[in-house]
Structures are given as structure tokens and as C-alpha cells.
Amino acid sequence: MSEYIKKDYNDLIIVPSSFSTIRSRKEINPYYKMGKGFHLPLITAPMDTVVDDVNDSLFILNKINICYPRGIKPKWNDGSCMQFESISLGEFENLIIEKNLISNSSDGKYYVCIDIANGHMNYLHDLIKSAKITFGSSIVIMAGNIANPETYKILSDCGADFVRVGIGNGNGCLTTEQTGIGYPSASLIKECYELSCVLKTPAKIIADGGINTYSDILKALALGADYVMMGSLFNRALESCGDTYFGPFKLNPQGRFASWLFDNGYTLKKKFRGMSTKEVQKKWGKDELTTSEGVTRIRKVDYKLHKWTENFTDYLRSNMSYCNSTNLK
């Protein structure tokens, strides 16, 4: 890619290897190993119309990592996938001051997402350094969001373990549209990946935002993302925790009746909202509401989570077979 011409997912296509030694997709491993378990290179966005403490077991069953919305404590993690607790910048600071770190995983570590929009702040970087000095490897930090490759380097050097890459291009976000801030996703991931190859302690790259299709996920991985974070695509699954409606009637999306209606071709609708909307600000108890950089939509339910995941895994294996790749690395 030219230094001056930046690309997004729609600008690119993946060219297959000139030859492939793979004879069957069964030879391909589309999972990362974690402890005794295996998980896909996917993680939920910390959105309250995607995942909560009721449907989280379904994501875990489908080998999808979880980043919980603020206010929800992860269940005890048996090591089958990653489960991040989302907290504010102020809560992260208090955690360091109070030195009260409680593991939320069987590996003895505390997995935390510092859930803020602007990962470019020096104050955040200083807090991450302090956390790593105080807690060492006992804390696993997800930071972001960023829209500048140099900030990925800064966060890696500070000790962040995962960096959310992307600002303003999510389906629930208006940041780029309203502020002009952003960076084309494909170029951003590629340039962060190139930096990761020369850094001493590179953070894992999480492609976050602008994922609309299976192929977008595969392009993000091919460009160098370790994981892809999604809200919109997971929200469109029947079992997501967004308010679910059959006409004027509100349903339990994990219930048998909702499942029966969907299986028999009835149209179900679901609420989806960005986490900077005024609705969410009120939910978090903010006294002063700021201008929203998010949207709220009602959308059609398109699939069940297990079927979407099955399709994704097959498409990932197929892609890897074309590219002569037997594992994600």
C-alpha cells in the first residue's frame, strides 16, 4: 500500500497462494489454544445489546471470547476462552491506587478492558505503566481505541497486552461522521502489524469496528489482526441480549418461543445501540449528558449464533486452505 493512499476492507481482496499443499480443510486449525480450551479469533464488543451475564455461556460454548459491557462481572473463567471486565478510566485508576486485584480467570490473572473512546491520552498510557509496575503479569490489559499506528507502538511499550484498533467506523458509532476522526481500517491494521514485527513486546491487535461481512473478518486477520471484535454482527443473532420484539410483543431472545418463531420464518426485530448514546449515559448514571457519538437502531434478526459461528469457521478454513495456511499464525 502506498504511504499516502490508505485502504479500507472494501478496497482489498485476498489473493490465494500460487499453490496449496492442503488436501482437506480438516487439516486446518482455526483456533487459538488457551489453557485447556480452544477459541476462535473473535471477541464480543462490550455492548449491552450484544452480551450480558445471561447469554454469555452461549458465546463461550461457540468458542467466542467475551468483553463484557461495563457493570457486568465476568463469571469464573475455566480457561476455555478470554473474558474481559470493562471498567472506566477512573475505575482503572482506583484499582491501581487500592492495589485490590482479584483474578477472574483460572490462570490466576485479571482480564480488564479500559473502556474509553480515546486511547491516545497520555494519562491512560501512564496508568497502564503504573498498573504493570504494580501488578506485573497478573493483569492482562486491553486498551484503546486508537486510530494512529504510532499510538499502537506507544501502548505496546507501556505494557498493554491487547489494543483495540479503529475509531469511528463501527455500525453503532458516529465519531468519524461527526468529528472527522478516523483511519481506514485495512491500512491501520496492516501498519500496526508491521510495527508489531519489530517491537520487543507487541500488544495483540484487535480489529474493532466496520466489520460487516465474513470476508471483512478474514481480511482483518490476513492483514495482521490477532482478533476481530464485533458488535453489529453478533447483535443480529437471535440470542444477543438486545431487546427483541415480535410485532409489539417483547420476547426473551434465549427462550423457546422466540426460537420457535424464528425457526418457522417469523420476522423478529432487535434493538442495537452504540455505547456513547445518551440512553447508555443515563444507564451509567451520568449527571451531565454529552453529545452522542452513537446511534440506536431496530434491526431484523438474521440468524442463530451457533449457525453463524459454524458458517464463519467453515469460511475461515476455506480461506486458509486457499492461502496454504494450516494455522492462524
Side-chain angles (χ1 to χ4, degrees):
M1 295 184 198
S2 165
E3 179 183 356
Y4 302 105
I5 300 175
K6 305 301 180 185
K7 306 288 186 182
D8 221 327
Y9 298 127
N10 290 338
D11 299 315
L12 302 177
I13 199 151
I14 299 171
V15 179
S17 173
S18 58
F19 68 90
S20 177
T21 60
I22 297 169
R23 299 179 63 182
S24 169
R25 291 191 295 185
K26 294 180 180 179
E27 301 172 34
I28 294 168
N29 177 16
Y31 303 105
Y32 289 126
K33 190 175 188 305
M34 179 180 178
K36 298 179 181 179
F38 297 87
H39 59 247
L40 291 165
L42 305 175
I43 187 163
T44 66
M47 303 178 77
D48 66 359
T49 52
V50 173
V51 63
D52 60 13
D53 52 1
V54 176
N55 71 354
D56 52 358
S57 58
L58 294 172
F59 286 97
I60 294 169
L61 182 65
N62 282 281
K63 304 185 187 307
I64 296 167
N65 301 283
I66 298 173
C67 188
Y68 289 88
R70 288 193 214 175
I72 298 179
K73 293 280 186 183
K75 295 173 182 174
W76 179 252
N77 186 355
D78 63 1
S80 57
C81 69
M82 296 182 296
Q83 298 177 43
F84 288 84
E85 179 178 2
S86 294
I87 62 177
S88 68
L89 192 62
E91 290 171 323
F92 185 60
E93 181 180 24
N94 290 337
L95 181 75
I96 299 167
I97 294 171
E98 296 170 3
K99 299 181 180 179
N100 184 26
L101 192 70
I102 301 174
S103 169
N104 54 17
S105 179
S106 60
D107 60 8
K109 298 180 180 181
Y110 175 61
Y111 288 74
V112 62
C113 169
I114 310 167
D115 186 29
I116 62 174
N118 185 359
H120 302 260
M121 295 186 293
N122 282 336
Y123 185 55
L124 168 67
H125 308 160
D126 292 339
L127 286 178
I128 292 172
K129 290 177 186 176
S130 297
K132 284 298 183 176
I133 291 170
T134 303
F135 303 118
S137 61
S138 295
I139 189 169
V140 179
I141 299 173
M142 182 192 299
N145 281 50
I146 67 161
N148 188 318
E150 288 301 316
T151 314
Y152 166 77
K153 178 181 184 300
I154 292 169
L155 285 168
S156 293
D157 290 343
C158 289
D161 301 284
F162 295 80
V163 175
R164 293 166 68 180
V165 171
I167 287 178
N169 52 5
N171 285 282
C173 187
L174 295 173
T175 299
T176 299
E177 181 179 335
Q178 303 294 7
T179 71
I181 293 294
Y183 203 106
S185 296
S187 291
L188 182 59
I189 294 167
K190 181 177 183 290
E191 291 169 35
C192 288
Y193 172 73
E194 289 170 346
L195 285 170
S196 76
C197 294
V198 297
L199 293 176
K200 185 177 180 181
T201 55
K204 299 289 186 184
I205 298 169
I206 300 177
D208 183 13
I211 302 294
N212 296 304
T213 63
Y214 291 114
S215 65
D216 288 343
I217 304 170
L218 302 179
K219 290 174 185 178
L221 294 170
L223 287 160
D226 297 286
Y227 293 89
V228 179
M229 176 174 276
M230 296 181 300
S232 176
L233 284 182
F234 286 146
N235 168 263
R236 283 160 53 192
L238 173 64
E239 302 89 345
S240 69
C241 64
D243 292 345
T244 307
Y245 299 93
F246 175 51
F249 303 104
K250 188 174 178 180
L251 306 177
N252 173 7
Q254 293 93 42
R256 290 183 180 180
F257 184 50
S259 179
W260 183 89
L261 287 170
F262 181 80
D263 289 342
N264 284 274
Y266 290 93
T267 297
L268 304 182
K269 298 291 184 69
K270 190 174 287 283
K271 184 177 184 177
F272 176 65
R273 66 182 181 188
M275 295 305 282
S276 71
T277 57
K278 290 187 177 181
E279 282 184 348
V280 175
Q281 293 177 45
K282 290 177 182 177
K283 178 181 177 181
W284 287 346
K286 287 189 175 183
D287 295 326
E288 296 184 12
L289 304 183
T290 59
T291 300
S292 173
E293 292 180 18
V295 297
T296 299
R297 297 190 178 101
I298 300 295
R299 310 188 310 168
K300 182 175 175 288
V301 174
D302 286 329
Y303 35 72
K304 288 187 171 179
L305 183 62
H306 77 276
K307 186 61 180 177
W308 183 93
T309 307
E310 179 184 298
N311 288 343
F312 167 72
T313 306
D314 286 345
Y315 290 141
L316 176 57
R317 280 193 165 108
S318 181
N319 174 288
M320 292 168 70
S321 71
Y322 279 111
C323 296
N324 199 31
S325 301
T326 57
N327 59 66
L328 289 170
K329 184 175 177 60

